Amino acid sequence: MQNAAILTVDDDPSVSRSVARDLRRRYGDRYRVIRAESGSTALDALREIKLRGEQVAVLLADYRMPGMNGIEFLEAAMDVFPLARRVLLTAYADTDAAINAINIVDLDHYLLKPWNPPEEKLYPVLDALLDAWLTTPAVTMPETKVVGHRWSARSFAVRDFLARNLVPYRWLRADEAEGARLLAAAGLGEADVPVVITTDGKALARPTETDLAAHVGMATTPASDLYDLAVIGGGPAGLGAAVYGASEGLRTLLVEQRATGGQAGQSSRIENYLGFPDGVSGAQLTDRARRQAQKFNAEMLTTREVVGLERQDPVTLLRFSDDTAVAAHTVVLATGVSYRLLDAPGLADLTGRGVFYGSAAIEAPNCSGEEIYIVGGANSAGQGAVYFSHFARKVHILIRGDDLTRSMSRYLIDQIEGIANIEVHPNTEVVGGEGRDHLERLTLCDRRSGRVAAVPTSWLFVFIGAEPRTDWLGDLVARDGNGFVLTGSDLLADGLRPAGWAPSRDPYHLESSMPGVFVAGDVRAGSVKRVASAVGEGAMAVSLVHRYLEGR
Ligand SMILES: Cc1cc2nc3c(=O)[nH]c(=O)nc-3n(C[C@H](O)[C@H](O)[C@H](O)COP(=O)(O)OP(=O)(O)OC[C@H]3O[C@@H](n4cnc5c(N)ncnc54)[C@H](O)[C@@H]3O)c2cc1C
């Protein structure tokens, strides 16, 4: 890449010069270091760089500047170079402002002035940010394009997959001029969509998720046959286990069937995770966790579903759906839960064509000016409603109960009550859906009166109770009646160890009935269904993994 820029802005000329000097000393051979003494001149410089088609890797802005402060500058700079990493330079007294900026401008770091010696306080931070910037897909790759039909479940699935894996792409409709031109150039037609044109110009017609993953640079096959720790599931619990396992020197493999982030990755705003007073989007939080795990050399596979476990002492084999396998001394099962399907006539056929499970955030802009329906009364539904209220003309929340108080956190109920275009319909159920190529009408039933009414809409987002998808485990590990995996003391019936249990000790706290297989997060029987507890259990599972390995 032709020398990308590192831009620093500080209104104090001597500080500005000294930052630039430190930066040039370390990065001058690979990056162009540009300095400015006000937010507005720095913005002019950014626009010029943009016009020349060049890149900016990192922005460092002083917080206290007259006219435009550092946060305002970084906010404006995001419009020009959204992928540049952002650092705020602050005095000790301004750390509150810096913490706020973490949320306002998704700040990557704040540095306290002075930062001497730079070898200790400045360079390690910038080294990590530059590494992260260089691996941002859009930086190293020009653009992935998806050509498809507006109301096609397969086109939606491809876009959703790319979005959840944070692969930037451009969406083109097959019935519009540019989409049709691309299809013709690839020698394909409308019958072949969705078509993905990769950044190196390959056209993939109706690709599987594994094809797609491999073509956009995600690993899909393990690099080794044997690991110390294999983590199944890339939600917060799995990512937590991968970060702690890899950082503590275990050869760690994380296997994810779709996209790392799990349910949390679909949350538009997590407001109760420690350390983020203004909330954080689930995608941001889990992307950071993914990068953190990779920094510690955890290996990550996507689009690989584990369909069986087999004990072959001293290891456990993880079987994949394509009949291949990988071995690990220990396993953390962190497969979470998935939404239950809404069982009403007509809806199954319309899934992905107006009926969506979870927030399907990529559809939000398409709901502009329309009326949408959300089913569910828990926090996930509430967050979805708040998020969609920024796009839709009206958001209807349908709940079976009398009100939200028993199922939703107070902070979300308060938010919803303050938003004029959200209406909650208590005691209401969806009993049917219709439409030709996409959803056009829903049938709703008032549970008290039994009265049924049809409403016109093209959008239904379903957030109803979640269930563990653990059938593949069969009798391998003990589960409760709802499919959640039992662990620790829950496995002891009247003080007796589970049938077939070989070790001369009781199961450890998060250990399943299969020795060396630990369970973390939502899939565990009795777990608290929260991001923080999932992360905590992932970390705790790793400490038990060490105990298991030492005690063998
Ligand atoms: C929209 C939404 C909003 C939410 N908001 C909040 C909030 O604000 N605060 C909060 O604390 N909690 C929130 N939650 C709940 C929180 O996200 C979950 O408690 C948390 O994600 C659980 O983490 P987990 O790692 O146990 O499971 P999950 O997040 O469910 O992740 C499990 C992962 O395992 C993968 N997987 C499953 N089976 C296999 C297999 N066989 N092979 C390979 N991979 C597999 C799945 O694809 C998935 O990625 C929200 C949930 C949703 C859906």
Side-chain angles (χ1 to χ4, degrees):
M1 189 169 301
Q2 181 58 35
N3 285 359
I6 299 176
L7 182 140
T8 161
V9 46
D10 196 310
D11 64 307
D12 179 334
S14 67
V15 177
S16 169
R17 270 195 300 274
S18 103
V19 184
R21 196 174 45 240
D22 283 346
L23 292 173
R24 277 197 193 103
R25 195 146 55 82
R26 171 92 164 197
Y27 304 105
D29 56 335
R30 286 161 290 152
Y31 293 88
R32 231 150 35 87
V33 175
I34 298 171
R35 74 181 185 88
E37 290 175 12
S38 74
S40 60
T41 50
L43 278 179
D44 288 343
L46 288 183
R47 289 192 196 102
E48 220 172 276
I49 296 172
K50 185 87 186 177
L51 281 180
R52 288 202 302 266
E54 293 165 7
Q55 299 270 18
V56 174
V58 178
L59 300 160
L60 294 102
D62 183 39
Y63 172 57
R64 283 195 188 217
M65 294 190 291
M68 182 187 289
N69 72 30
I71 299 176
E72 288 161 346
F73 162 72
L74 290 174
E75 208 172 354
M78 275 168 83
D79 292 338
V80 193
F81 284 103
L83 299 176
R85 299 286 156 173
R86 295 175 275 274
V87 180
L88 195 68
L89 304 175
T90 60
Y92 183 72
D94 295 325
T95 45
D96 274 358
I99 290 165
N100 284 337
I102 289 175
N103 296 300
I104 300 171
V105 294
D106 189 19
L107 194 68
D108 289 291
H109 223 285
Y110 68 88
L111 284 172
L112 291 182
K113 294 196 287 189
W115 53 83
N116 277 329
E119 282 72 14
E120 236 173 67
K121 299 200 173 139
L122 178 68
Y123 299 151
V125 170
L126 278 223
D127 287 349
L129 293 182
L130 288 168
D131 281 352
W133 180 77
L134 279 170
T135 55
T136 310
V139 169
T140 46
M141 301 178 194
E143 193 174 47
T144 299
K145 299 181 190 77
V146 181
V147 187
H149 286 306
R150 170 71 202 88
W151 293 111
S152 144
R154 286 194 70 152
S155 297
F156 168 76
V158 163
R159 288 155 57 216
D160 189 50
F161 175 78
L162 292 174
R164 286 209 197 164
N165 280 294
L166 302 178
V167 177
Y169 66 88
R170 193 142 68 92
W171 161 239
L172 300 150
R173 284 170 49 170
D175 57 1
E176 287 178 346
E178 198 176 346
R181 263 198 301 277
L182 270 178
L183 285 181
L188 297 168
E190 281 205 31
D192 300 305
V193 300
V195 169
V196 177
I197 319 276
T198 61
T199 48
D200 53 1
K202 276 201 193 69
L204 311 173
R206 299 165 84 84
T208 62
E209 290 188 348
T210 309
D211 273 352
L212 209 47
H215 277 95
V216 295
M218 291 188 262
T220 55
T221 46
S224 164
D225 298 331
L226 176 66
Y227 294 84
D228 296 321
L229 168 64
V231 180
I232 310 176
L239 287 167
V243 166
Y244 284 90
S247 69
E248 289 165 20
L250 299 173
R251 277 169 302 157
T252 302
L253 175 73
L254 183 145
V255 184
E256 165 55 48
Q257 67 183 4
R258 193 137 199 268
T260 50
Q263 298 168 72
Q266 295 183 55
S267 166
S268 46
R269 199 145 200 89
I270 298 171
E271 308 221 26
N272 55 1
Y273 191 71
L274 192 71
F276 292 88
D278 296 316
V280 57
S281 87
Q284 264 176 40
L285 184 70
T286 53
D287 178 48
R288 286 174 182 216
R290 186 184 53 78
R291 284 196 270 124
Q292 200 172 6
Q294 280 173 330
K295 181 184 88 174
F296 289 123
N297 294 324
E299 198 182 316
M300 300 210 177
L301 305 185
T302 21
T303 67
R304 297 308 298 270
E305 184 183 3
V306 178
V307 295
L309 290 182
E310 193 183 312
R311 191 71 196 160
Q312 284 194 359
D313 263 333
V315 296
T316 301
L317 284 188
L318 278 69
R319 293 218 173 276
F320 298 117
S321 44
D322 63 355
D323 234 15
T324 57
V326 70
H329 288 290
T330 56
V331 174
V332 171
L333 195 63
T335 51
V337 294
S338 314
Y339 286 112
R340 262 201 303 271
L341 299 183
L342 187 58
D343 187 17
L347 295 186
D349 286 348
L350 295 167
T351 303
R353 299 189 290 126
V355 177
F356 301 94
Y357 286 87
S359 63
I362 53 165
E363 293 293 353
N366 298 324
C367 299
S368 273
E370 308 213 5
E371 297 212 9
I372 72 156
Y373 287 77
I374 285 183
V375 180
N379 282 3
S380 50
Q383 283 177 14
V386 171
Y387 180 67
F388 278 95
S389 70
H390 301 303
F391 301 87
R393 179 157 53 87
K394 176 111 192 217
V395 177
H396 301 270
I397 304 180
L398 312 177
I399 54 169
R400 290 158 62 99
D402 292 331
D403 58 38
L404 292 170
T405 49
R406 272 196 301 137
S407 51
M408 198 177 282
S409 298
R410 189 69 242 175
Y411 78 88
L412 266 173
I413 298 179
D414 291 344
Q415 275 182 33
I416 285 171
E417 284 172 357
I419 298 176
N421 63 338
I422 301 183
E423 185 179 348
V424 180
H425 301 262
N427 305 296
T428 307
E429 264 181 336
V430 176
V431 292
E434 288 177 287
R436 270 176 308 150
D437 71 338
H438 68 279
L439 176 70
E440 290 171 85
R441 254 175 323 283
L442 283 177
T443 313
L444 309 182
C445 174
D446 182 322
R447 284 160 55 87
R448 285 161 308 185
S449 64
R451 208 155 38 86
V452 167
V455 292
T457 185
S458 298
W459 306 100
L460 175 68
F461 297 92
V462 182
F463 295 82
I464 50 168
E467 53 191 14
R469 299 276 154 84
T470 53
D471 289 350
W472 61 275
L473 286 165
D475 294 331
L476 283 170
V477 296
R479 296 177 293 150
D480 71 10
N482 295 316
F484 290 96
V485 182
L486 296 166
T487 54
S489 57
D490 289 349
L491 289 164
L492 304 177
D494 298 328
L496 293 177
R497 292 172 186 156
W501 179 262
S504 57
R505 56 166 178 84
D506 286 350
Y508 293 132
H509 175 48
L510 300 178
E511 197 171 20
S512 70
S513 61
M514 195 185 225
V517 174
F518 296 85
V519 188
D522 283 11
V523 71
R524 196 175 68 79
S527 61
V528 179
K529 309 291 184 274
R530 288 281 182 270
V531 176
S533 48
V535 172
E537 288 192 3
M540 193 194 294
V542 170
S543 76
L544 297 168
V545 159
H546 287 299
R547 208 190 290 176
Y548 171 86
L549 291 172
E550 281 156 17
R552 276 204 306 187

